Amino acid sequence: QQQVKQSPQSLIVQKGGISIINCAYENTAFDYFPWYQQFPGKGPALLIAIRPDVSEKKEGRFTISFNKSAKQFSLHIMDSQPGDSATYFCAAGFYDKVIFGPGTSLSVIP
Amino acid sequence: GAGVSQSPSNKVTEKGKDVELRCDPISGHTALYWYRQSLGQGLEFLIYFQGNSAPDKSGLPSDRFSAERTGGSVSTLTIQRTQQEDSAVYLCASSRGLAQHGETQYFGPGTRLLVL
């Protein structure tokens, strides 16, 4: 009920391509779905977040798509750049804590 | 300081020793979270403080782990009788309110703990 699944574990994308990371959750009570970006040696930083009352949210090159009925949400990075190479964590909020997925290591190659 | 600070940045200790990790949240932030990140793993929630309410300790992995938050500000995570499996990066985060209500969590740089 509390688990957040994330795939793929690692992803290699060419510069200019689209990076897609998928997450799934089980608990329908979750009402907050953030994505975090983490560079090596740094703490995670909030990238973008969505609530279940919207199906899509876009900020610059980053878009979250949300499918409430399927209990899935995904992050799309358009025009991926080498500077986007990092680990990405999806998360879901329930009561007073956010549960993180295991992370996706993204490498954008020139 | 402008961000969340943690100390020490690195800690090496011997198995069986106790360690204390400190977190200074952003001033005015009422919510404080502790997470653990093991090598190659995702973030694991440990404990959460919100204002003066009793903390949610449901994520603490064992009774060797404890945390307190004094005066609603600085927090200390204590690990007693450390074990090698405790080796990880311990991250602290704070937010103005509940992250679930849209408040951004700001993470500190973490404390890298190595138990020999």
Side-chain angles (χ1 to χ4, degrees), chain A residues 23-25 27-35 49-57 63-76 91-92:
Chain A
C23 283
Y25 63 99
N27 196 319
T28 56
F30 288 168
D31 64 359
Y32 178 60
F33 303 87
W35 284 87
I50 198 169
R51 295 198 169 279
D53 54 348
V54 297
S55 60
E56 186 176 282
K57 182 175 181 180
T63 300
I64 299 180
S65 298
F66 187 85
N67 186 330
K68 187 174 182 178
S69 60
K71 293 186 285 186
Q72 295 175 346
F73 58 111
S74 60
L75 175 70
H76 291 63

Side-chain angles (χ1 to χ4, degrees), chain B residues 71-95:
Chain B
S73 182
V74 173
S75 177
T76 302
L77 177 69
T78 301
I79 309 173
Q80 295 178 309
R81 304 181 304 281
T82 52
Q83 303 295 311
Q84 289 180 333
E85 61 263 29
D86 299 334
S87 297
V89 176
Y90 289 81
L91 290 160
C92 174
S94 72
S95 63

